[in-house]
Amino acid sequence: MPAVSKGDGMRGLAVFISDIRNCKSKEAEIKRINKELANIRSKFKGDKALDGYSKKKYVCKLLFIFLLGHDIDFGHMEAVNLLSSNKYTEKQIGYLFISVLVNSNSELIRLINNAIKNDLSSRNPTFMCLALHCIANVGSREMAEAFAGEIPRILVAGDTMDSVKQSAALCLLRLYKTSPDLVLMGEWTSRVVHLLNDQHMGVVTAAISLITCLSQKNPDEFKTCVSLAVSRLSRIVSSASTDLQDYTYYFVPAPWLSCKLLRLLQCYPPPEDGAVKGRLVECLETILNKAQEPPKSKKVQHSNAKNAILFEAISLIIHYDSEPNLLVRACNQLGQFLQHRETNLRYLALESMCTLASSEFSHEAVKTHIETVINALKTERDVSVRQRAADLLYAMCDRSNAKQIVAEMLSYLETADYSIREEMVLKVAILAEKYAVDYSWYVDTILNLIRIAGDYVSEEVWYRVIQIVINRDDVQGYAAKTVFEALQAPACHENMVKVGGYILGEFGNLIAGDPRSSPLVQFNLLHSKFHLCSVPTRALLLSAYIKFINLFPETKSTIQEVLRSDSQIRNSDVELQQRAVEYLKLSSIASTDVLATVLEEMPPFPERESSILAKLKKKKGPGAVSVNELEEGKREGGELNGGGDRGGDSSAIAASNASTPSPSADLLGLRTGPPVTAAAPSAGSLLVDVFSEAGVNDDGFLRDLEPPTESSDSLLAEGPGDSDSAPPSVVSEDPAPPLPESNELLNKFVCKNNGVLFENQLLQIGIKSEYRQNLGRMYLFYGNKTSVQFINVQAKPVEPLIEGGAQVQQVINIECLTDFTEAPLLNIKFRYGGALQNLSLKLPVTINKFFQPTEMASHDFFQRWKQLSQPQQEAQKIFKANNAMDTEVLKAKLLGLGMALLENVDPNPENFVCAGVIQTKAQQVGSLLRLEPNAQAQMYRLTVRSSKDTVSKRLCELLAEQF
């Protein structure tokens, strides 16, 4: 910037500002301002032409008056005239006035645009920067139309100075954000991307902000930036603090640029190029290593910059979710922050670990910090940190620690901050239901929940416990006994009375044999609470009383006396009065048989998703629950192709609609939308709701499966060829061919069941699946990443309109009829911005998903190995290692394959052997596997033997891509 000479000090402006500051009252200030405005107006209208200095001074005074909160309705033309000056200070004041006071609808825009064009073409770097700053500050559509084609040329021109390039990049970013349809990079794309290689770090910092924004909207056009970003990041991470002196902040080299590079890489999946991926992994390892080094400065700025880079690196590791070693290391690093004295670091660590807990690779590592998190829940002073600790406990919960976590959350509830109690109650209720192996524990937990925080227990919670008790014979007696004991407390919450009235009315007979809980004792206990309750609860209790008359005829006279009392049949509330009159008449005139028929025990409720989930999601906002369960929690509608589009062997898989989701789906944070499935070969091959609670035994899996009747056809969505498979407004088009990366996306899920299947700038598809024998269930989550509606979603049972940011869940039941090689295709069609989007992906259903692990002794294994010695039964492949040969990672992947990993079987302890049986409807296919790693040569030899040759070949192909 040019130096400002002493003569440019504008003494008159300084005197005016001093006068304003010396005013003793508001009236005096207004009087002085009005006097100055009159003087400026007369000067502008006077016959004598003003020189540049005077114009600058008076325009500056107007600007100051405006900043004091007064309206300015003149002086705009004088400011525009200053733009034509050749003096920097005059031009600067002119641009400043225009940036602040001129709106986009001003009549002067055309004159301003002409002045800006002159400055941009002047090749004077100072004037060019002033013009670019003005364009960015105003940022109107008119300016975007005028300069969107010119600024990219300035940005990539070889003779443009570095300071101008920085301004041009940020100016273009501003215009793109306000008018993205006008900023078309086109031919400039590759040259803008190559600014990441610029020698000037300031240019790189400005350019990366622009590239990140452009990549989010057009990732395919800018995907070449990944390798350049990794290269630049590698140079920064490996540099010493003295190498980048101008861009080193408290001994941390280029922290802002490093964070922006890591954020840019989060717009893309892991690099496909092995060398680039290796270099990136090395960078991330270096960042994690530097976090362990002692600080080079005690200043807080040093630790802030260092931690900012670390957290962005961890976010990138979580985004990729493909490097087990890095995920575990990231978890351990965050675990150290959990006990840091800085509150903000503890908060961020808890928040990041919530996301890590949803990864298969790092879930176990997160669980090791359970005691620290529980301690944070109890001792943290800041309520927001305690809330994140509760979120993390919720996210890390599984069958192994559910009782401990639920107990701790219940304990914390007694002293929890009122602002988070309702959310805590919902989480305890969800966890207790999801991980209840023993349903007596579930009943105890919910009743304890009502006792501790009854005011925050919503109807959804006590409704749910009623549903579960009614649907499970084994827990009904225990529930009746427990709720009877709970009602004996002197102070009893109304929600407890509701649960007690319902359960005793249905199952009080199960405990009536004990004199301490005889029918009259039960009735008197309930009726003692009657007068303390609200009208809805009283109505429920009246229904319980009439049920008692059916269950216990000896209580009939006592209950009729209560119903006949004036407080009931003459009650001011019409609902209570009607119930009392009708129940009294029913008990008086109906025969025993009629009474038993009318008042028979409630039938089991149809299994459906817990409504508690929807309540929690609504409480926390869209997507808030899914972060704990599935980081890919944004969903959108889709369509699964029929058999004709799946490829030759994929017809071996029959998919059916799931009428209700499983309990494990409850924590996915959605209401279940009607599922969409493939047209199966025949209705007889369809499954009922295999994962619903009606088919779950104590170990939480399948029981009593039966195929549905022929009427199940009505459950099926029409295939792509059906005339009504989409709303009438959708133009029917053939399904798109599978994406080129479909096979790569499929391979990601060979050894895992959860994750992000596909993501682009519009749509994210997440998957969560579970299998048992030849049956499977898959949950697809479609997320609209834009703020615009997706309309005409071409899948009949899915809502045809998806709001921006909305989420849709799709459930598919799967049955393996015989072995297969090709995965079924998923075809998604919807309209975005008027354009039909049509894409096809391979669903990650591979033959290994139907493995039943088989434990074998060494002798049995090799005996069976020799029996499978025919050439066609064996498939073998020797290949180079694609990843680090880590023993734990290899074990995790082999276990993820679905086979049993056999210990101490192979004579060579370095080798891995596995055994399993593939369960299909047609037959069982026994398979044995032997993996021989050679760490020195970085090679593997994989041998698979199966009783069916096609299975051996397919398993060998799938596994060779995993190591």
Side-chain angles (χ1 to χ4, degrees), residues 232-512:
R232 175 63 77 170
L233 179 66
S234 176
R235 278 180 274 166
I236 294 172
V237 168
S238 60
S239 65
S241 58
T242 53
D243 295 344
L244 302 169
Q245 287 190 354
D246 291 342
Y247 289 88
T248 296
Y249 179 78
Y250 288 87
F251 302 101
V252 181
W256 282 274
L257 179 54
S258 299
C259 288
K260 288 184 177 185
L261 287 165
L262 289 165
R263 207 166 292 155
L264 171 62
L265 291 171
Q266 291 175 50
C267 298
Y268 291 91
E272 297 176 0
D273 187 311
V276 175
K277 186 176 181 181
R279 197 171 183 184
L280 177 57
V281 169
E282 189 179 324
C283 289
L284 295 172
E285 288 176 342
T286 304
I287 292 171
L288 292 173
N289 291 337
K290 285 186 175 181
Q292 300 292 334
E293 295 175 359
K296 296 179 181 177
S297 170
K298 293 183 179 179
K299 296 283 183 73
V300 67
Q301 292 92 336
H302 170 75
S303 60
N304 284 347
K306 193 173 172 183
N307 290 333
I309 297 171
L310 176 63
F311 275 104
E312 281 299 337
I314 290 174
S315 295
L316 180 60
I317 292 168
I318 293 171
H319 170 74
Y320 284 167
D321 193 23
S322 60
E323 296 293 332
N325 291 335
L326 290 178
L327 283 162
V328 172
R329 286 195 61 188
C331 181
N332 294 336
Q333 182 62 52
L334 291 172
Q336 295 177 20
F337 285 146
L338 293 180
Q339 296 177 314
H340 200 279
R341 58 187 177 85
E342 176 60 45
T343 305
N344 289 336
L345 274 182
R346 295 198 300 275
Y347 179 93
L348 290 170
L350 289 166
E351 190 173 48
S352 297
M353 287 184 83
C354 281
T355 313
L356 273 175
S358 63
S359 170
E360 290 182 314
F361 299 117
S362 53
H363 183 77
E364 292 300 321
V366 172
K367 281 166 57 180
T368 61
H369 302 285
I370 185 170
E371 296 299 334
T372 307
V373 179
I374 289 172
N375 186 56
L377 186 68
K378 294 177 178 177
T379 60
E380 278 288 348
R381 293 182 181 180
D382 192 313
V383 64
S384 62
V385 180
R386 294 200 299 274
Q387 188 165 0
R388 292 288 81 79
D391 289 343
L392 180 53
L393 283 176
Y394 176 72
M396 69 167 64
C397 189
D398 59 20
R399 284 196 190 282
S400 66
N401 57 20
K403 289 191 175 182
Q404 179 189 5
I405 287 177
V406 168
E408 292 293 347
M409 292 176 89
L410 278 172
S411 172
Y412 172 64
L413 252 179
E414 300 192 35
T415 57
D417 192 271
Y418 291 108
S419 62
I420 65 172
R421 281 196 181 188
E422 185 178 358
E423 185 183 323
M424 290 283 293
V425 166
L426 294 173
K427 287 180 174 176
V428 170
I430 291 168
L431 294 179
E433 179 185 343
K434 181 176 180 182
Y435 298 113
V437 175
D438 175 7
Y439 275 87
S440 59
W441 171 74
Y442 170 74
V443 171
D444 287 339
T445 300
I446 299 300
L447 295 183
N448 210 9
L449 197 61
I450 295 173
R451 181 186 62 79
I452 294 170
D455 290 339
Y456 299 91
V457 175
S458 62
E459 287 186 340
E460 288 84 359
V461 174
W462 75 264
Y463 285 175
R464 190 63 178 165
V465 72
I466 294 293
Q467 290 173 14
I468 288 174
V469 169
I470 286 178
N471 287 13
R472 296 186 178 279
D473 298 339
D474 56 336
V475 80
Q476 290 165 357
Y478 180 82
K481 177 176 177 292
T482 307
V483 79
F484 176 79
E485 292 171 353
L487 286 171
Q488 292 176 332
C492 194
H493 195 275
E494 189 168 332
N495 282 332
M496 187 73 79
V497 177
K498 291 176 182 177
V499 175
Y502 205 114
I503 290 180
L504 291 180
E506 294 293 331
F507 310 114
N509 60 310
L510 298 178
I511 60 170

Side-chain angles (χ1 to χ4, degrees), residues 509-745:
N509 60 310
L510 298 178
I511 60 170
D514 189 334
R516 292 171 296 179
S517 55
S518 65
L520 273 176
V521 173
Q522 291 183 42
F523 169 74
N524 290 330
L525 181 60
L526 283 176
H527 197 54
S528 67
K529 315 290 183 184
F530 186 90
H531 304 289
L532 304 173
C533 297
S534 62
V535 169
T537 307
R538 291 184 186 186
L540 187 150
L541 287 177
L542 289 179
S543 297
Y545 295 169
I546 192 66
K547 289 264 189 176
F548 268 37
I549 292 178
N550 180 47
L551 289 176
F552 315 117
E554 65 268 30
T555 64
K556 182 175 180 178
S557 59
T558 307
I559 293 173
Q560 283 182 334
E561 188 176 334
V562 170
L563 295 174
R564 197 178 289 117
S565 65
D566 285 350
S567 61
Q568 303 304 333
I569 62 174
R570 298 178 189 274
N571 197 293
S572 58
D573 186 88
V574 67
E575 175 68 22
L576 292 180
Q577 184 186 110
Q578 184 175 353
R579 287 196 185 212
V581 171
E582 291 179 356
Y583 291 162
L584 179 60
K585 204 68 174 173
L586 178 65
S587 65
S588 302
I589 65 173
S591 65
T592 306
D593 292 341
V594 172
L595 205 60
T597 303
V598 174
L599 301 174
E600 68 178 348
E601 188 178 304
M602 282 287 290
F605 286 90
E607 292 295 343
R608 56 181 177 265
E609 180 192 16
S610 170
S611 57
I612 305 174
L613 242 310
K615 178 86 174 176
L616 179 59
K617 178 171 175 281
K618 186 177 179 182
K619 171 100 180 135
K620 297 202 73 178
V625 179
S626 60
V627 72
N628 295 330
E629 295 303 317
L630 194 66
E631 67 276 23
E632 311 83 15
K634 299 178 182 178
R635 281 72 87 184
E636 206 279 332
E639 174 186 24
L640 184 65
N641 281 344
D645 293 313
R646 300 190 199 175
D649 296 327
S650 62
S651 60
I653 299 179
S656 76
N657 266 351
S659 58
T660 57
S662 70
S664 61
D666 281 351
L667 289 183
L668 298 174
L670 310 168
R671 295 182 184 88
T672 301
V676 183
T677 71
S682 68
S685 67
L686 298 177
L687 297 179
V688 291
D689 185 8
V690 293
F691 290 109
S692 70
E693 292 178 359
V696 178
N697 56 19
D698 284 344
D699 66 359
F701 229 99
L702 311 180
R703 184 184 70 189
D704 302 333
L705 301 179
E706 293 181 7
T709 63
E710 294 295 322
S711 63
S712 298
D713 282 341
S714 62
L715 293 176
L716 290 177
E718 282 83 348
D722 294 325
S723 60
D724 59 350
S725 62
S729 56
V730 176
V731 177
S732 179
E733 291 193 13
D734 292 334
L739 294 177
E741 63 268 29
S742 286
N743 285 330
E744 182 186 345
L745 297 173

Side-chain angles (χ1 to χ4, degrees), residues 851-857 861 886-906 909-916 927-931 959 963:
F851 259 127
Q852 187 76 19
T854 305
E855 294 293 338
M856 301 177 77
F861 177 86
D886 186 285
T887 303
E888 293 305 314
V889 174
L890 291 177
K891 286 183 179 179
K893 288 191 173 181
L894 288 170
L895 288 170
L897 183 68
M899 305 177 80
L901 184 60
L902 307 180
E903 302 283 352
N904 304 319
V905 170
D906 197 291
E910 300 297 321
N911 294 346
F912 300 91
V913 292
C914 302
S927 300
L928 302 176
L929 177 149
R930 190 180 193 188
L931 181 67
L959 268 178
F963 303 110

Side-chain angles (χ1 to χ4, degrees), residues 736-853:
L739 294 177
E741 63 268 29
S742 286
N743 285 330
E744 182 186 345
L745 297 173
L746 178 72
N747 287 333
K748 281 173 54 179
F749 287 86
V750 170
C751 294
K752 67 175 185 176
N753 291 332
N754 307 338
V756 176
L757 174 63
F758 173 77
E759 184 169 9
N760 63 12
Q761 69 271 28
L762 302 179
L763 176 68
Q764 183 186 59
I765 305 176
I767 279 191
K768 189 166 187 176
S769 53
E770 46 194 349
Y771 296 87
R772 178 70 174 266
Q773 297 182 358
N774 69 319
L775 307 175
R777 166 167 282 182
M778 182 176 289
Y779 302 90
L780 292 169
F781 305 96
Y782 303 89
N784 181 350
K785 295 174 65 177
T786 72
S787 58
V788 182
Q789 290 177 339
F790 288 169
I791 62 172
N792 294 341
V793 179
Q794 193 159 343
K796 188 177 179 183
V798 178
E799 290 295 326
L801 194 72
I802 309 293
E803 295 290 342
Q807 303 174 340
V808 172
Q809 177 181 353
Q810 182 181 16
V811 188
I812 300 172
N813 280 345
I814 301 164
E815 181 181 20
C816 184
L817 304 178
T818 184
D819 65 283
F820 60 97
T821 57
E822 291 298 321
L825 293 181
L826 175 72
N827 178 236
I828 301 121
K829 297 178 188 176
F830 58 92
R831 288 198 179 275
Y832 168 73
L836 180 67
Q837 308 292 322
N838 185 355
L839 59 96
S840 292
L841 298 165
K842 290 186 177 181
L843 274 181
V845 182
T846 48
I847 189 64
N848 64 290
K849 300 297 183 185
F850 304 98
F851 259 127
Q852 187 76 19

